[in-house]
Amino acid sequence: MGTGDLFAEFDQGIMPLAEGGVILRGFALDEVTGLFADILDIASRSPFRHMTTPGGYRMSVAITNCGDYGWITDRRGYRYEAIDPATSKSWPAMPSSFLALAQRAADMAGFPDFWPTCCLVNRYEPGAKLSLHQDKDEADFAAPIVSVSLGLPATFLFGGARRNDKARRFPLNSGDVAVWGGASRLHFHGVDTLAGGTDSLTGPYRFNLTFRKVR
DNA sequence: TAGTAGCA
DNA sequence: GGTT
């Protein structure tokens, strides 16, 4: 038996993330091709763009959205909007494949009846990162967060309820799905600087789908 | 403070 | 050089 076989058993499974949080390794593996096609379709109507934080800095992660609401940031702050400010039109509808995946993952993690009204689509290129933050612009903290990884690998940072709580590091690969809610719903989290590389499906990018119930 | 930079 |  070679080393690869020893690690193969860890390709799938449930990794504890925090109280109320798990990483479902490989949960979406057989869907990544279709999900990527849906992302390209969304981006053809609401293009990826680099938004500005309230402090006036450009985010290294490019974003777009689909669903009833989209998360945006500009010099005025963070918020959800039903209209894409770049197109002055509604965000693209959430594909049924997205909704079904998010619901299955939430259910698996112990959050039945999850009905996300927003899917934030993040695009990372090598060098891009997302510093520690809380998802707290939603009206309903009872609903969990579901986060799907596609393409290049990354390191997920997951901390505690306070910004200064030490964050733990978790490898995230294409097809992995992280779900957190309950006691960890408002915990600080982020993504470490993306390393270079080429993915057979997405090329020089990592994509992340983040499902939230905004209202 | 979903940001960067500098210092111990 | 990585970490706090």
Side-chain angles (χ1 to χ4, degrees):
Chain A
M1 181 183 289
T3 307
D5 298 313
L6 287 173
F7 286 100
E9 62 183 295
F10 299 117
D11 283 355
Q12 271 171 231
I14 301 180
M15 151 116 11
L17 184 61
E19 187 181 344
V22 292
I23 295 174
L24 307 172
R25 301 174 96 172
F27 188 79
L29 256 188
D30 58 357
E31 297 174 62
V32 294
T33 302
L35 295 171
F36 181 56
D38 285 329
I39 289 172
L40 296 181
D41 185 55
I42 289 164
S44 74
R45 286 175 283 155
S46 276
F48 284 102
R49 81 293 303 257
H50 291 274
M51 291 188 177
T52 302
T53 62
Y57 290 99
R58 170 188 186 269
M59 290 183 68
S60 59
V61 175
I63 79 174
T64 186
N65 293 272
C66 65
D68 294 339
Y69 301 98
W71 183 87
I72 68 169
T73 177
D74 58 23
R75 288 169 193 77
R76 302 187 319 167
Y78 312 135
R79 61 193 179 277
Y80 287 96
E81 295 279 7
I83 301 296
D84 178 354
T87 65
S88 299
K89 300 194 302 190
S90 298
W91 299 99
M94 190 182 300
S96 56
S97 56
F98 280 27
L99 181 61
L101 170 60
Q103 290 181 330
R104 277 191 296 115
D107 200 64
M108 182 74 63
F111 300 97
D113 305 312
F114 178 50
W115 281 93
T117 53
C118 167
C119 176
L120 169 61
V121 186
N122 288 151
R123 188 189 69 191
Y124 296 75
E125 57 186 48
K129 63 178 163 47
L130 203 55
S131 57
L132 288 179
H133 67 277
Q134 296 171 294
D135 290 11
K136 61 177 183 183
D137 304 314
E138 303 76 29
D140 182 2
F141 295 143
I145 302 293
V146 174
S147 173
V148 181
S149 293
L150 293 169
L152 289 176
T155 300
F156 190 40
L157 309 171
F158 204 87
R162 296 167 301 184
R163 179 176 292 278
N164 288 337
D165 291 341
K166 181 171 174 62
R168 294 199 295 156
R169 303 167 64 85
F170 298 86
L172 243 30
N173 291 297
S174 192
D176 289 352
V177 181
V179 182
W180 66 97
S184 57
R185 172 62 179 76
L186 291 171
H187 281 203
F188 282 85
H189 58 280
V191 177
D192 203 353
T193 307
L194 202 78
T198 303
D199 181 81
S200 59
L201 178 68
T202 66
Y205 296 117
R206 169 179 187 262
F207 293 92
N208 177 258
L209 308 175
T210 306
F211 296 90
R212 296 94 177 257
K213 181 177 180 181
V214 175
R215 291 167 194 154

